[in-house]
Amino acid sequence: MTHTTSRREFLRNLGMSAAAFPFICNLPSLGFENSQTRKQRLIIMFSPNGVVRKNFWPDDAGELADFKEILAPLAPFRDRTLVLNGVCDKIRGDGDNHMRGMGCLLTGIELFPGNIQGGSDTPAGWASGISIDQEIKNYLQSRPETQTRFGSLEFGVVVPERADTWSRMVYAGPNRPVAPIDNPYQMFKKLYGGMKDQESLKSVLDLVSADLKKVESVVSAADQKLLQEHASFVRQIEEEIAASQKNPLTHEIPQLDPGVVVANDNLPQLARMQIDLMVNSLAADFTRVATLQFTQSVGQARMKWLDIDETHHTLSHEPNSNEDAQEKLTKINRWYCEQLVYLVQKLADTPEPGGEGTLLDNTTVVWTNELGEGNSHTLNNIPFVLVGNGLNFKMGQSLKFNSVPHNRLLMSLAHGMGHHLTQFGNAEFCKEGPLSLS
């Protein structure tokens, strides 16, 4: 009998519910195997339409000294930040740059031929390979000591319901796009289950509280405290759901370009709710791999809370000589950076369950984009900003590469998680191996 089997049998004999099992089975005082090793985590965060280069990239390579305006919110985490310049998406073939920028971003391989017509190039279909987050997920799930309940979780923030190459960056395999969940209440149901009818079924909290009583005699006082904190979070989310049913959101849905549906006014609130859920899912060890997708490639968010009336994609097409557009795009990208900082701060404020330090000590967040710059639609110098110490990279620096394929960075992420790939995506761009970031 394996250790994993005995673990499951022990908890099953206690009558453990599905909602509490993944969290409880990783409590260190129970002595289960996957609580004895460091829990490394990877989060990939996406925002669209390129960046304003002059206000984004550090001037010099080497130790990070100062941030430009867009990255300035990261100042408190300077020693935990790694900025990579010169990493390029070299994948070509069918599709326009927005399509290939999105569909090849995490897969590093060409799109299939298809009938989805881009802005100017040939039509294309879905990506022809798995994305790096799912590759890492499969690796972790194949090993008993790193298995989690979900393997990976895909969060979205106002992602259009339409499924096409612009709206999907995660792939379970060739021609197998994975849709992010952009409704926090749906994500809550996925995480905690058993809530098919919120009015008639008993609270998930009742299940978790009952499970706490079942194991309270065999776990340490510290682990009892962790369970109580977990239950408090569940109660908080349930209260938010109940409040939303009594007072439904009435935010206006603006008139945007055909086919793009964005609930502008509640995007900031949804972002915070999704981030809170994500951090809690990591603390509960529901997953060690997650993605956070803001809108989509060609994202048309209209950020009224920044006093910007134009849509993001429309502004991104303005020439660099349009100072008003450059200023607004800088504000938009800085706002996305602020969401990154909110996520990073939540990780830094959350103690590592059963271990030392915080979640940020064992998590790396990768913030990226489908384009290097919006108006040129370039796939060169794709923004990659890494924050956190989960992958044992040397942080606190800005690195400038000479037009290296982003496949090599994807390989580095896998290596950092213990998955030593020899190639990923298009093998032609993997010959020099992973980037040296340690």
Side-chain angles (χ1 to χ4, degrees):
M1 179 181 296
T2 66
H3 200 161
T4 303
T5 301
S6 61
R7 167 178 72 184
R8 293 180 180 277
E9 288 183 352
F10 172 77
L11 294 177
R12 188 181 298 114
N13 290 337
L14 290 176
M16 202 61 54
S17 72
F21 178 86
F23 183 78
I24 291 177
C25 75
N26 287 296
L27 292 174
S29 61
L30 290 179
F32 293 133
E33 58 194 318
N34 68 341
S35 63
Q36 303 304 308
T37 58
R38 181 182 180 220
K39 299 183 179 110
Q40 291 179 278
R41 307 175 184 89
L42 174 67
I43 300 171
I44 299 176
M45 172 179 150
F46 168 86
S47 60
N49 299 323
V51 297
V52 178
R53 292 181 295 182
K54 65 181 181 180
N55 295 330
F56 183 88
W57 297 109
D59 287 331
D60 302 311
E63 182 178 352
L64 269 174
D66 296 308
F67 287 114
K68 295 291 185 67
E69 185 175 354
I70 291 173
L71 297 182
L74 277 169
F77 299 97
R78 179 181 288 107
D79 62 341
R80 295 184 178 223
T81 298
L82 177 61
V83 181
L84 305 180
N85 194 345
V87 180
C88 306
D89 180 351
K90 294 182 178 290
I91 307 300
R92 298 299 179 258
D94 293 323
D96 66 18
N97 279 18
H98 275 292
M99 297 169 72
R100 281 185 281 113
M102 190 66 165
C104 309
L105 178 64
L106 302 184
T107 64
I109 199 166
E110 290 76 14
L111 304 178
F112 279 123
N115 59 4
I116 303 175
Q117 180 61 57
S120 59
D121 296 86
T122 58
W126 301 116
S128 59
I130 192 172
S131 56
I132 193 63
D133 57 301
Q134 296 299 291
E135 174 72 25
I136 293 171
K137 164 196 171 177
N138 292 343
Y139 168 75
L140 296 178
Q141 293 297 85
S142 71
R143 305 166 71 237
E145 64 271 24
T146 53
Q147 286 179 359
T148 56
R149 179 180 176 190
F150 295 106
S152 68
L153 289 169
E154 293 72 44
F155 292 79
V157 183
V158 193
V159 178
E161 294 180 2
R162 183 187 72 222
D164 55 35
T165 317
W166 294 282
S167 63
R168 300 290 183 265
M169 68 176 183
V170 175
Y171 285 81
N175 223 24
R176 295 175 58 195
V178 177
I181 296 175
D182 69 347
N183 183 324
Y185 306 118
Q186 291 180 5
M187 180 59 79
F188 179 78
K189 290 180 182 180
K190 178 181 176 74
L191 293 176
Y192 294 102
M195 295 187 66
K196 297 177 181 177
D197 186 344
Q198 295 174 0
E199 296 181 355
S200 61
L201 294 183
K202 67 183 194 175
S203 167
V204 170
L205 179 61
D206 293 337
L207 293 174
V208 175
S209 298
D211 288 334
L212 172 59
K213 294 183 182 300
K214 294 173 185 174
V215 299
E216 60 184 358
S217 62
V218 293
V219 302
S220 67
D223 284 344
Q224 289 185 31
K225 184 175 183 295
L226 286 173
L227 282 171
Q228 294 286 6
E229 292 174 351
H230 186 62
S232 296
F233 180 85
V234 174
R235 170 62 71 191
Q236 175 187 343
I237 295 296
E238 287 184 311
E239 290 174 351
E240 289 184 9
I241 289 176
S244 73
Q245 292 174 333
K246 294 178 182 178
N247 302 292
L249 294 174
T250 58
H251 298 300
E252 174 190 359
I253 299 178
Q255 296 297 314
L256 303 178
D257 292 349
V260 180
V261 180
V262 179
N264 275 20
D265 294 346
N266 60 332
L267 195 152
Q269 179 184 359
L270 291 170
R272 297 300 172 93
M273 293 174 70
Q274 291 287 65
I275 290 172
D276 288 348
L277 280 170
M278 176 187 288
V279 173
N280 186 71
S281 71
L282 296 174
D285 207 28
F286 286 169
T287 186
R288 298 183 188 178
V289 178
T291 53
L292 178 62
Q293 178 182 327
F294 282 90
T295 70
Q296 63 161 39
S297 175
V298 198
Q300 290 282 18
R302 194 189 303 270
M303 298 192 176
K304 297 179 181 179
W305 56 92
L306 300 179
D307 296 323
I308 298 174
D309 292 326
E310 300 92 335
T311 63
H312 185 185
H313 180 247
T314 299
L315 282 169
S316 74
H317 271 246
E318 291 296 314
N320 291 344
S321 59
N322 185 334
E323 290 298 331
D324 180 64
Q326 291 280 286
E327 180 181 349
K328 289 175 179 177
L329 288 168
T330 297
K331 290 175 66 176
I332 289 171
N333 280 282
R334 182 185 173 103
W335 183 83
Y336 280 123
C337 186
E338 289 170 352
Q339 309 319 298
L340 170 66
V341 170
Y342 179 79
L343 168 58
V344 170
Q345 187 66 62
K346 290 281 291 187
L347 293 168
D349 291 341
T350 304
E352 176 64 52
E356 298 180 353
T358 70
L359 290 185
L360 189 61
D361 295 323
N362 301 300
T363 304
T364 293
V365 184
V366 181
W367 177 29
T368 187
N369 201 297
E370 91 273 28
L371 298 176
E373 185 180 43
N375 51 23
S376 65
H377 292 85
T378 181
L379 296 178
N380 293 326
N381 297 331
I382 298 295
F384 284 103
V385 177
L386 285 64
V387 189
N389 302 95
L391 302 187
N392 300 320
F393 295 159
K394 182 180 179 181
M395 311 305 283
Q397 57 179 339
S398 172
L399 300 181
K400 289 190 177 182
F401 297 98
N402 184 20
S403 187
V404 298
H406 84 296
N407 299 67
R408 297 181 61 193
L409 173 59
L410 300 181
M411 293 173 66
S412 297
L413 299 180
H415 281 230
M417 292 290 287
H419 186 21
H420 295 284
L421 295 167
T422 56
Q423 64 182 53
F424 184 77
N426 187 322
E428 182 67 24
F429 301 122
C430 304
K431 293 179 179 179
E432 297 184 46
L435 296 179
S436 179
L437 302 177
S438 300

